[in-house]
């Protein structure tokens, strides 16, 4: 990790980093293919390019300039409580107990003159029993200002939501251009009320389409075998296992478009390379049809063209495209990206979606923007390499728990990894069961970031059992709003998720007793359940039982062993 510091004078800017090695070896270097080719042509004799990073610097978003105001409410909040909320991107480097996904700051002191916050996407203004909620629908993240995402500015005159995504030079005389949208929502001022109001509006803004948004997906990249996992023969093996397990989509990641090592035919656009797919995508499409599976594909978002996206859809009917390596530096980039995706989805009759990638720190997509086009690929979590993304169950659980506080979790992909292949020196995944690792993301969109063929027969049996139970109820879960319950995951907590529809008497729970926890029985506050008698059904064992929620919603649950979980359906029986 490289750290740069500039203490005086003009702003220090790092535009890119390259790593050279005195070697004849050839390395796979990911990023801007044109820039990488240019660097390779300029290398001194005897040197090779080992790594490259476009830092996204030298562009105006790092100056945090603000072009104007998108919204203004004449509300004097200077004497009220302010709650600022934002999420971090760059999950590639936020995989430790010290790097949470969520930042939340409550400020209760009076504002003497002016308060400006430029890292948060959400502002709650809390006034007694009511709260006013303002949301920036932009790609802002706590650690990435992005392109003109602005700030919340509070004075006695009112609350301004600034940052339009349009500089004066970008305003055109011949047509309209879009600015960032702004949400204004009101709700009850309690944990349940704040989250309910925000999630209800988000569900209206980003509804769930049962035909395209409900699926279990597997991706070829996550088993540390790189581009080799994208070969046609390997994908065919994977699809057979995925049919057995109950997975719906096989997504082919990077490599399908590249020649094999030693191949002589160069890469020609974003199409299956004949070295790896001699008959194009015809064979894998036919096999997917036989098995009743769908296919997905990976692209470098800013390099792939609309026609290439259409051509691949025509060739294989891809259900979703994962879009990686975005670096949005100006309004043209924003407009080009959204116009391309809108045109593509219209071309497919809305039968195909995208997965936005927020794994790195370049200005990409954020957490409250563009989710009508698909869901968010949250994080790479792998068995061994690189060390900073090794799969740790409690950290994956914590990331999803944080997301479920202020976002609708089903718009995010949560990782399942093969715990038998995870480095035992860097993770305690080996201490948990396969069933536990599958249960963690059930309230999100489950992502098997791995080659599933490496599961043992015993592991497959565990996975199949959980997925079979989940598939029976997942459409109902997607109709619910998901909330975090219990304690924040820290590998020693009682924690979990509650999926509920406040207009219904039913819902679902996933409860986790983490591996370091020493309490076989623990009381957890269920949302919206205070003073109710509740009936539960264990979706894995079929066991039924009833319990009473006290006046605060607390219900006592039991799990005999640490590192275990329950997947429950519940129904309100009566009021106490």
């Amino acid at each position: 990790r490289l750290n740069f510091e500039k203490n005086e004078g003009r702003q220090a800017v790092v535009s890119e980093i390259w790593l050279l090695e005195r070697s004849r070896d050839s390395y796979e270097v990911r990023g801007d293919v044109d820039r990488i080719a240019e660097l390779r042509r300029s290398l001194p004799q005897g040197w090779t390019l080992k790594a490259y990073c476009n830092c996204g610097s030298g562009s105006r978003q790092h100056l945090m300039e603000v072009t104007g105001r998108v919204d203004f409410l004449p509300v004097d909040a200077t004497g009220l409580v302010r709650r600022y909320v934002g999420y971090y991107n760059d999950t590639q480097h936020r995989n430790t107990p010290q790097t949470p996904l969520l930042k939340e700051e409550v400020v209760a002191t009076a504002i003497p003159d002016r308060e400006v916050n430029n890292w948060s996407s959400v502002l709650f203004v809390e006034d007694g029993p009511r709260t006013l909620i303002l949301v920036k629908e932009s790609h802002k993240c706590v650690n990435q200002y992005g392109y003109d995402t602005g700030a919340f500015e509070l004075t006695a005159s009112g609350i301004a939501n600034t940052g339009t995504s349009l500089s004066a030079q970008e305003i055109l005389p011949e047509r309209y251009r879009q600015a960032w949208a702004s949400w204004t929502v009101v709700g009850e001022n309690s944990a349940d009320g704040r989250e309910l109001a925000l999630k209800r509006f988000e569900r209206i803004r980003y509804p769930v389409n049962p035909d395209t948004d409900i699926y279990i997906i597997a991706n070829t990249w996550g088993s540390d075998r790189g581009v080799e996992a994208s070969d046609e023969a390997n994908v065919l093996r994977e699809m057979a296992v995925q049919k057995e397990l109950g997975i719906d989509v096989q997504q082919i990641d990077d490599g399908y478009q590249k020649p094999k090592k030693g191949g002589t035919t160069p890469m020609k656009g974003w199409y299956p390379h004949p070295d790896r797919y001699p008959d194009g995508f015809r064979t894998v499409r036919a096999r997917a049809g036989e098995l009743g599976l769908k296919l997905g594909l990976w692209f470098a978002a800013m390099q792939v063209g609309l026609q290439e996206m259409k051509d691949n859809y025509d060739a294989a009917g891809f259900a979703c495209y994962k879009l990686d390596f975005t670096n949005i530096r100006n309004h043209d980039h924003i407009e080009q990206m959204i116009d391309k995706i809108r045109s593509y989805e219209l071309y497919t009759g809305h039968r195909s979606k995208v997965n936005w990638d927020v794994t790195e720190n370049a200005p990409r997509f954020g957490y409250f923007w563009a989710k009508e086009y698909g869901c968010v690929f949250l994080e790479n979590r792998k068995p061994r390499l690189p060390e900073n993304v090794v799969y740790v169950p409690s950290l994956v659980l914590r990331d999803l728990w944080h997301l479920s506080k202020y976002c609708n979790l089903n718009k995010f992909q949560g990782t399942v990894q093969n715990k038998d292949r995870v480095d035992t020196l860097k993770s305690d995944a080996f201490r948990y069961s396969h069933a536990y690792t599958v249960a963690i993301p059930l309230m999100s969109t489950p992502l098997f970031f791995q080659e599933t063929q490496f599961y043992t027969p015993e592991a497959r049996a565990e996975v199949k059992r959980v997925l079979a139970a989940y598939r029976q109820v997942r459409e109902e879960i997607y109709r619910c709003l998901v909330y975090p319950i219990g304690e924040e995951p820290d590998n020693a907590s009682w924690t979990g998720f509650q999926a509920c529809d406040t207009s219904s008497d039913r819902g679902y729970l996933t409860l986790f007793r983490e591996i370091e926890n020493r309490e076989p029985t623990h009381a957890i506050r269920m949302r919206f359940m205070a003073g109710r008698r509740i009936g539960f059904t264990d979706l894995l064992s079929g066991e039924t039982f009833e319990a009473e929620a006290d006046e605060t919603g607390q219900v006592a649950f039991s799990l005999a062993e640490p590192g275990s979980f329950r997947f429950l359906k519940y129904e309100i029986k009566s009021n106490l």
Side-chain angles (χ1 to χ4, degrees), residues 334-352:
I334 296 170
E335 191 170 78
Q336 290 161 12
M337 180 64 62
I338 295 301
D339 285 353
K340 180 166 65 176
I341 301 310
R342 283 178 62 86
S343 297
Y344 169 72
E345 292 198 7
L346 286 170
Y347 179 77
T348 71
H350 300 284
R351 289 185 290 271
S352 184

Side-chain angles (χ1 to χ4, degrees), residues 207-215 248-249 294 319-320 349-353 474-475 478:
V208 172
N209 183 333
D211 296 326
T212 57
D213 296 339
I214 301 178
Y215 55 81
D248 304 298
V249 181
K294 296 179 180 180
C320 54
H350 300 284
R351 289 185 290 271
S352 184
K353 293 285 191 176
R474 63 177 172 177
E475 291 192 12
Y478 271 83

Side-chain angles (χ1 to χ4, degrees), residues 173 180 186 189 256 259 279 324 338-339 362 369 376 397 421-422 441 461 512 533 557:
W180 295 124
V186 293
N189 186 26
Y256 68 90
D279 199 26
D324 204 350
I338 295 301
D339 285 353
W369 181 49
V376 177
L397 180 56
R421 295 171 59 84
V422 176
F512 301 91
R533 185 163 189 82
F557 294 97

Side-chain angles (χ1 to χ4, degrees), residues 531-534 572-576:
R532 305 290 183 92
R533 185 163 189 82
I534 309 167
I572 299 171
K573 295 295 185 179
S574 64
N575 294 325
L576 297 180

Side-chain angles (χ1 to χ4, degrees), residues 314-471:
D314 291 341
F318 289 104
C320 54
Y321 289 147
K322 178 187 171 190
L323 300 182
D324 204 350
F325 295 132
T326 305
N327 193 342
I328 298 171
R329 300 187 300 274
N330 54 51
H331 192 88
D332 284 342
H333 286 168
I334 296 170
E335 191 170 78
Q336 290 161 12
M337 180 64 62
I338 295 301
D339 285 353
K340 180 166 65 176
I341 301 310
R342 283 178 62 86
S343 297
Y344 169 72
E345 292 198 7
L346 286 170
Y347 179 77
T348 71
H350 300 284
R351 289 185 290 271
S352 184
K353 293 285 191 176
V354 298
N355 312 138
W356 304 117
D357 185 300
V358 295
T359 60
E360 295 177 357
N361 190 239
R364 291 189 171 187
F365 306 104
Y367 292 83
F368 294 93
W369 181 49
K371 290 188 292 190
E372 67 266 47
Y373 305 111
C375 67
V376 177
F377 181 94
L378 180 64
E379 53 197 11
N380 296 307
R381 294 295 178 256
K382 299 172 67 184
R384 293 180 178 274
L385 299 170
E387 182 176 348
N388 51 284
V389 300
V390 169
Y391 173 79
V392 179
S394 64
L395 295 178
V396 172
L397 180 56
R398 186 189 65 179
D399 287 346
L400 296 177
W401 198 88
H402 281 169
L403 271 175
S404 68
K405 194 168 186 181
Y406 295 113
C407 292
N408 282 321
L409 194 56
N410 50 44
K411 281 292 186 178
F412 295 84
Q413 294 181 346
T415 303
V416 181
Q417 187 52 260
N418 184 342
K419 60 101 176 180
D420 291 343
R421 295 171 59 84
V422 176
D423 191 328
T424 57
L425 297 179
K426 300 182 177 73
S427 170
D428 64 354
F430 66 95
R431 301 176 66 191
Y432 287 95
S433 67
H434 286 284
Y436 188 103
T437 66
V438 175
I440 288 173
L442 289 185
M443 297 296 189
S444 67
T445 292
L447 163 68
F448 284 73
F449 195 54
Q450 57 173 284
E451 294 165 80
T452 54
Q453 63 192 281
F454 297 126
Y455 275 132
T456 64
E458 295 77 14
R460 292 186 192 186
E462 283 190 60
V463 172
K464 284 164 61 176
R465 180 169 177 252
V466 177
L467 290 187
Y470 166 70
R471 289 171 66 95

